[in-house]
Amino acid sequence: MLKFLSKVKIEYNALDPRIASCMEFMAQCNSRKARESNPAFQVEVKRRTDEHPPQITVTFVNGVEQAFDATSTPAQSIRTMILEKGQTLETEQMFREAGESWPVIIPKEELSHPASGIKETQA
C-alpha cells in the first residue's frame, strides 16, 4: 500500500472516541513490512485539541492528495481505495513508459464490437 504514497497526515484529538480508524491506519503505516516497501514514505501525526473530526490525508506519489473522514471511513476501506488508485497509477505509468497516451480512449464504434476470443451465450 505505501509504495503508492509519499506522505500520510493523520489528525485526531486523543479524547475523541471516534479515532479507531486513525489508530488502525497509523499502525498499518508504521509496520515494518510497510516501511520496507517505501523507505522514503513520511507519516505526519497531528494531535489536535479542538473539535476537528479525525481525518486521514494521503498524498500519492504523483502528488495527488486525498482526505478521508476517519469518523465514518474504516481503515480497511481507506487501504482498499489506496490500492485501487495505486493500480491505476501503475497502469498509467506502464502506458507512458510504452509511449502510449493516457488515458486510453476507445472509439465508440469499437465498444459495440464483440471481444475476440469470448464466446457469447444466449439467455
Side-chain angles (χ1 to χ4, degrees), residues 69-110:
D69 176 0
T71 62
S72 61
T73 312
Q76 188 59 39
S77 296
I78 296 171
R79 185 178 194 281
T80 301
M81 287 184 248
I82 291 168
L83 292 173
E84 288 171 356
K85 175 74 172 175
Q87 289 175 337
T88 302
L89 291 172
E90 282 184 334
T91 303
E92 178 181 353
Q93 181 181 358
M94 187 173 56
F95 270 78
R96 292 189 191 280
E97 287 173 357
E100 300 292 332
S101 62
W102 183 264
V104 176
I105 308 297
I106 301 171
K108 283 187 178 184
E109 60 272 7
E110 287 186 25

